Amino acid sequence: MSSDVFIPSLGNAMPSSVPPPTLETSIKPVNGYQLLVAMLLMPLASALAVASWTLYALLAKQPVYVLVPLMSGVLLAWPAWYIAKLGDTCRLMQWLLLGLALALGGFGMASQPWDFLLVGAGLGLGGAVITTGIAHAKGWMPGRWVCLCIALCVALAAGLGLSLRMAPLVVQAYGWRAAPLSLLIPLFMVMLLLWLFAESPE
């Protein structure tokens, strides 16, 4: 008769020494560096969008042209908001800034009335830039709408002041066609910084 005694395994019955994850331990901490980048670069991109609108309003040949980028911006802002919530906000922002750069380049070469209308519609990408920047910053700062509103207001004021200060000087020195092209330098700098340092929130 065998002397082996069957001992049931208690591995599943023994309590684990590792405590289950709680709400506090399962939440990933906010990356302070990326939060700082979001609060610096995204308002800068929004400021450049507003600066392009202001410059267009100052240099437009007809007052009605001023409404074109505003209406286009409202139409483009909503789809950009939903796309930003679903995908990579940094890459979307880079593509939008590239489109805005193309519109500014066309602005510097426009001569016919329909050219200015097309440029105004293209500058409406600024509305998509602003909403994408809000979506990006909101991903790093959920629930902090006060900070977002303050950063947005500062960006709008900075973009408006940039165009009002820069446009007369550039037009007087190099002509009106050089004014929209002068915005390309800071625009490409923001695109480069986004590519190097910014990450989309998870």
Side-chain angles (χ1 to χ4, degrees):
M1 189 174 185
S2 176
S3 60
D4 294 338
V5 178
F6 175 73
I7 300 177
S9 175
L10 300 177
N12 295 331
M14 294 291 291
S16 174
S17 60
V18 180
T22 60
L23 180 62
E24 290 77 10
T25 59
S26 61
I27 296 177
K28 187 177 181 180
V30 176
N31 188 327
Y33 168 75
Q34 287 298 330
L35 177 61
L36 179 62
V37 170
M39 293 304 296
L40 289 177
L41 292 182
M42 295 303 174
L44 279 176
S46 300
L48 290 174
V50 175
S52 66
W53 286 356
T54 308
L55 188 64
Y56 184 82
L58 292 174
L59 300 178
K61 294 185 177 182
Q62 299 291 336
V64 71
Y65 288 177
V66 178
L67 299 177
V68 178
L70 297 178
M71 292 186 296
S72 177
V74 171
L75 293 176
L76 294 174
W78 292 108
W81 173 262
Y82 288 107
I83 295 173
K85 289 170 64 177
L86 297 175
D88 189 344
T89 53
C90 288
R91 182 165 297 182
L92 176 60
M93 178 65 82
Q94 290 170 3
W95 281 109
L96 291 173
L97 290 177
L98 180 60
L100 193 62
L102 293 176
L104 286 171
F107 190 11
M109 297 182 291
S111 57
Q112 300 297 325
W114 64 271
D115 292 337
F116 289 97
L117 290 176
L118 287 178
V119 166
L123 292 178
L125 289 171
V129 168
I130 294 173
T131 54
T132 302
I134 294 174
H136 179 90
K138 182 178 178 294
W140 288 111
M141 295 193 321
R144 299 184 183 179
W145 284 104
V146 175
C147 296
L148 291 177
C149 291
I150 293 175
L152 181 60
C153 291
V154 171
L156 297 180
L160 182 64
L162 176 65
S163 283
L164 292 177
R165 286 282 187 175
M166 181 194 69
L169 299 176
V170 176
V171 170
Q172 184 177 4
Y174 304 104
W176 74 267
R177 293 186 182 276
L181 300 180
S182 63
L183 285 178
L184 294 178
I185 297 175
L187 197 64
F188 284 122
M189 289 179 62
V190 172
M191 289 177 62
L192 179 62
L193 292 174
L194 282 172
W195 180 65
L196 292 175
F197 300 111
E199 293 180 4
S200 297
E202 296 180 358

